[in-house]
Amino acid sequence: MTQENRQVESIMAFRRFALAVCLIGVLVQLGLTAYYLAMGHKAQPHHLPVGLVSPAAKRTAVVSLLSENEYFKVTDYATADDLVIAIKRRDVYGGVDITNSKPHLYVASAGGTAAAALLKSTYTSVVQQQTANALAEYSKAGDTMKVSEAADLNTPPTVTDVVPLPGDDVNGVSLGFLTQALALGGTIASMGLGRLIPRARRSWRRGIAHVSILILYAVGSAAVILWSMTWFGVGETADRGEMLGIFSLISLAITASTAGAVALFGPAGALIGAMYFTLGTVISGASILPEFLPSFGRHLGENLPTGAGVQAVRDDLYFPAAEIRQHLIVLGLYAGIGALVVLITNMLPNRKNRTSEVELDFVERLEGGERREPVELEASAPSGH
């Protein structure tokens, strides 16, 4: 082949590569755009749990109004105190007490600003409609209205925020930022830490070393997140020990499951970690509440480390009476299964007895063997898991 032909072939190869890169980029962008818009472009509630304290005579009309568009799922409570307890346990997002002459709305903005805003707007519109009906009745009958009655009708609806957001997190977006930081950092770390383990002879000691590093990283990353929260006054009243444990479990769930996927499928397994960051944070419930997502996004999000982590952190921060066992189980399964995969793949024998170009002293001590001269790695060697 002549020099000119080689140049032509090189140009053609470059053009094909450039075209492939552009095509892949456009397809990824198209897919992400469609996904993001499908999840959040028209967020509306689906069976949002709310409570109702009502006499029997009024219940049917109120439940019919709340259930009209399937926005709300109504649960009855005997007293306003029972309703408040249910809100603090996160059984419901809020509720209304209509046993008195003036209705009383209870919300929890810490549970989600979108839910609190929806409850307030629905409540206000209903009260305004009732006021308009009362005024129309007075006008129709030709009756006069006392000043006290007019003042009572114009009194703003009573709203109590049972669990308000702290002043330093008025929009409630901190949880989303924290989850994104954990997901991105955990993904990068799980890929990088795997390459730190040299391609020496596999053994259970090497597997334990790898899992130990993942655990140490998880605790360290959790401590950093917890420390950075103090800069902005987020979570000042939270139990530091509990928060450290939850953040560590979230980080380990992300890093261990990603490391396990890389151990099984090679570099392509890192897409699991990328999915947590690019797809999982959108449906985690941090920015868009689970009940405001499509059914598929809601169920998937709740069963990813990002979703389970957000709910566990939110409950521990703002709703100490809430049950978080289910969220911790999800996180524990990701962390445990990922760590087990890493252990098993490190115990399996290598196809070829090769060593790494980089020998780490601490691994040599764990292996207990003599130092081996490194040899050149083949391009297709596994990533170290």
Side-chain angles (χ1 to χ4, degrees), residues 248-292:
S248 298
L249 187 56
I250 296 171
S251 182
L252 185 59
I254 293 171
T255 55
S257 58
T258 303
V262 173
L264 289 176
F265 307 113
L271 291 174
I272 293 293
M275 183 189 72
Y276 294 153
F277 179 72
T278 58
L279 305 182
T281 54
V282 177
I283 56 177
S284 64
S287 56
I288 305 176
L289 292 175
E291 288 81 6
F292 284 71

Side-chain angles (χ1 to χ4, degrees), residues 20 54 71 84 90 92 95 112-113 123 157 193 196 281 316 326 372 381:
S54 169
Y71 282 178
V84 169
R90 289 208 74 197
V92 292
T113 55
Y123 174 63
L193 291 175
L196 284 177
T281 54
D316 193 75
Q326 184 63 36
R372 293 177 292 274

Side-chain angles (χ1 to χ4, degrees), residues 45-89:
H46 306 280
H47 305 289
L48 189 76
V50 296
L52 175 64
V53 182
S54 169
K58 297 181 180 180
R59 182 186 181 279
T60 301
V62 174
V63 171
S64 176
L65 178 65
L66 292 176
S67 304
E68 184 177 359
N69 297 315
E70 297 186 343
Y71 282 178
F72 301 102
K73 182 178 71 174
V74 182
T75 301
D76 292 306
Y77 293 95
T79 65
D81 290 338
D82 293 335
L83 174 59
V84 169
I85 292 173
I87 293 173
K88 291 181 177 180
R89 289 201 307 252

